[in-house]
Amino acid sequence: MAKAPVLTPRADDFPRWYQDLINKAELADNGPVRGTMVIRPYGYGLWERMQQEMDARIKAAGASNAYFPLFIPQSYLTKEAEHVEGFAPELAVVTHGGGKELEEPVVVRPTSETIINEYFSKWVQSYRDLPLLINQWANVVRWEMRPRVFLRTSEFLWQEGHTAHASYEDARDYAARIHRDVYADFMVNVLGIDVVLGRKTAKERFAGAINTLTLEGMMGDGKALQMGTSHELGQNFAKAFNTQYLSKDGKQELVWQTSWGVSTRMVGGLIMSHGDDSGLRVPPRLAPVQVVVLAIKGDDAVIAKVREIGDTLRAAGLRVQVDDRTDTPFGRRAVDWELKGVPVRIEVGPRDLEGGTAMVARRIPGGKEPVAIEALAGLLPAILEEDQALLLRQSRERREARTSDVKTVEEAGEVASAGGWARIPWAELGPEGEAKLAEQAVSVRCLVAEDGSVPDADDAPGNVAIVARAY
């Protein structure tokens, strides 16, 4: 009788496979309050690596980290009408504290445009104070009716950037810089996901923004996932909070602003983009553990050698973990590391030791082969880069194979409902067609120019709509 698979096969039930993988790879668990999650150490290790890579890029773009309160006076949100209307269904509101009813209810942070603008209005006095570039790493709460771990939770972790500029052009260019040089660079070159960069339609735009730039990734089942967004806020919040500066000409001017963010949703995107029926496949540039060195048996010489190999590989600049828990069966440990998606396993037993070799198992392309122990440090960096490139290539090939050019709203809906992406001229679709697709749970993920670049305006000639079902 055949063994039952460790995970539900993706082709049988993709949502169940996703949940199985999160559980079996020990990434996260459901929290005690519906819609919350407990991120387990290995899952948090993935998020920490994402933070490290993103934080370096954010700082390279000139932004500095700060922190703002979790509790926001409810009156702040009402200052920008479109913003509060957009977030009203998701708000968690505190009415009592310290055993007493609060004089004014406070909102648990859903995003920080309002509270940060309250302080921007105090900090910005002159053109010399601009641009003001702030980022914070924090948690936010948006009450979620249909939760799914990492993808949609009532509380999640993220970074949110907020900036103030002297001109529309400076703000526009900075939002585009974050979109391209921070988010796209990270997602393509570290996560190995071939995202599409585009512009949201007016219907899909962030509440209170004049433009939203997005990065859309195709998941393993053909659905789209919004991986991150960068918003031009115009002067909407500046007007609401009276955020002004004294220009070089001696005039009081309103600032122009941006906000931008990515979240733990990227962990879900990582799982659904690269995972297979054996578990995760973690891109080597992201992996908290790039190489695990396993002792097959509890032989003293074997234990000593795997520890020595671990030290040698660390000295070569690799992120390494030694697994010498020989009181746990080797097969079980190998399956656990496969589930976690560690790019390379090095397996060493007494016979390997006699021959001066180790068995190298590559998680991403699959396969095993013996390698001389003394050659490992020189060989592994190139192997990891090959595997990084393979994941990106597979992501791109999947998206290209499952994207179809169509001419009608009906065709777009059929392609998306069948698990693909449709490309349709925006002139043929328009807001009316977008509304028709929404009735089928299909959405316009973004607009791109004919050459694949990000268009300057919703109605720019030649805009193409990317249509898909989405998470």
Side-chain angles (χ1 to χ4, degrees):
M1 185 174 177
K3 274 187 177 182
V6 176
L7 303 175
T8 300
R10 290 194 313 161
D12 291 354
D13 188 336
F14 195 85
R16 172 51 59 188
W17 165 84
Y18 176 80
Q19 194 60 49
D20 280 356
L21 196 159
I22 287 172
N23 292 334
K24 297 288 178 64
E26 299 180 336
L27 301 181
D29 209 339
N30 291 313
V33 175
R34 186 178 183 274
T36 63
M37 63 177 169
V38 175
I39 305 176
R40 300 185 67 176
Y42 190 72
Y44 199 82
L46 294 170
W47 175 239
E48 281 183 314
R49 287 285 304 135
M50 291 180 184
Q51 282 183 301
Q52 290 163 14
E53 292 283 349
M54 292 289 302
D55 198 59
R57 287 165 172 77
I58 288 167
K59 286 172 178 169
S64 299
N65 287 338
Y67 185 79
F68 292 82
L70 175 68
F71 296 125
I72 302 173
Q74 193 172 42
S75 59
Y76 284 19
L77 271 78
T78 61
K79 289 184 180 182
E80 214 290 325
E82 186 180 348
H83 188 68
V84 70
E85 183 181 351
F87 278 99
E90 301 174 319
L91 296 181
V93 183
V94 179
T95 58
H96 288 72
K100 297 180 181 179
E101 185 172 355
L102 301 178
E103 289 185 13
E104 178 185 353
V106 296
V107 173
V108 183
R109 173 175 53 217
T111 181
S112 297
E113 278 77 9
T114 57
I115 194 166
I116 288 179
N117 269 278
E118 178 73 11
Y119 286 86
F120 275 16
S121 68
K122 295 179 181 180
W123 298 345
V124 174
Q125 302 297 323
S126 149
Y127 69 90
R128 297 183 184 88
D129 300 320
L130 299 173
L132 180 55
L133 312 175
I134 295 292
N135 177 65
Q136 80 165 342
W137 292 94
N139 61 337
V140 293
V141 171
R142 299 179 184 176
W143 216 254
E144 182 58 54
M145 295 297 104
R146 292 172 294 175
R148 183 174 292 181
V149 174
F150 289 123
L151 299 178
R152 292 188 178 276
T153 49
S154 296
E155 179 191 12
F156 53 90
L157 307 180
W158 76 348
Q159 62 73 212
E160 51 177 318
H162 300 269
T163 70
H165 304 260
S167 69
Y168 161 73
E169 290 79 11
D170 195 41
R172 176 201 62 199
D173 293 347
Y174 194 78
R177 180 181 179 184
I178 294 293
H179 187 227
R180 178 188 64 248
D181 296 347
V182 176
Y183 292 164
D185 181 70
F186 167 71
M187 291 172 193
V188 171
N189 294 315
V190 179
L191 286 188
I193 299 175
D194 188 49
V195 289
V196 170
L197 282 67
R199 177 187 180 103
K200 287 290 189 184
T201 63
K203 178 180 180 295
E204 296 288 333
R205 197 177 291 156
F206 178 73
I210 62 172
N211 181 30
T212 290
L213 304 174
T214 184
L215 302 101
E216 303 287 330
M218 179 183 278
M219 302 296 99
D221 61 351
K223 287 186 180 179
L225 183 71
Q226 179 181 291
M227 300 284 289
T229 47
S230 181
H231 315 289
E232 297 173 42
L233 301 180
Q235 294 180 311
N236 291 341
F237 289 90
K239 291 172 184 175
F241 288 85
N242 197 32
T243 310
Q244 300 187 62
Y245 70 98
L246 187 67
S247 72
K248 290 181 180 179
D249 299 330
K251 297 178 181 178
Q252 286 292 328
E253 304 279 358
L254 291 169
V255 300
W256 296 83
Q257 293 181 268
T258 78
S259 68
W260 26 277
V262 296
S263 74
T264 38
R265 169 178 280 206
M266 290 193 298
V267 179
L270 171 73
I271 296 166
M272 294 193 297
S273 290
H274 298 319
D276 62 19
D277 285 347
S278 297
L280 265 178
R281 293 188 304 162
V282 181
R285 292 181 189 170
L286 177 75
V289 179
Q290 295 174 309
V291 181
V292 60
V293 188
L294 291 93
I296 294 176
K297 291 187 176 180
D299 179 286
D300 288 346
V302 169
I303 298 293
K305 180 55 72 172
V306 297
R307 291 175 180 173
E308 179 188 314
I309 292 170
D311 290 340
T312 301
L313 296 181
R314 288 189 196 97
L318 301 177
R319 295 185 290 277
V320 181
Q321 184 162 330
V322 171
D323 184 348
D324 54 10
R325 302 168 297 155
T326 52
D327 54 342
T328 299
F330 169 75
R332 177 177 171 182
R333 287 183 288 134
V335 168
D336 284 346
W337 288 115
E338 190 167 52
L339 280 165
K340 287 180 166 62
V342 171
V344 172
R345 295 195 316 274
I346 297 173
E347 302 168 356
V348 181
R351 289 182 183 176
D352 301 295
L353 211 55
E354 288 175 10
T357 64
M359 190 64 71
V360 174
R362 294 170 65 175
R363 177 67 183 89
I364 292 164
K368 285 186 179 185
E369 64 177 345
V371 173
I373 289 173
E374 62 184 19
L376 289 170
L379 186 65
L380 287 178
I383 283 176
L384 293 170
E385 282 302 298
E386 284 178 16
D387 293 352
Q388 179 79 32
L390 176 60
L391 285 177
L392 179 60
R393 186 165 66 251
Q394 289 176 342
S395 173
R396 180 178 297 121
E397 288 172 351
R398 177 176 63 241
R399 179 175 61 79
E400 290 175 347
R402 299 179 72 167
T403 299
S404 303
D405 288 303
V406 302
K407 295 181 179 179
T408 68
V409 177
E410 291 72 24
E411 288 175 325
E414 288 171 5
V415 168
S417 297
W421 287 13
R423 286 169 42 94
I424 180 171
W426 179 241
E428 299 294 330
L429 184 66
E432 289 186 6
E434 185 176 19
K436 287 181 182 177
L437 289 173
E439 294 172 2
Q440 305 173 47
V442 172
S443 59
V444 176
R445 303 314 305 155
C446 62
L447 301 175
V448 297
E450 281 181 304
D451 63 1
S453 63
V454 180
D456 294 329
D458 291 10
D459 57 355
N463 278 356
V464 176
I466 306 295
V467 174
R469 290 189 180 239
Y471 283 98

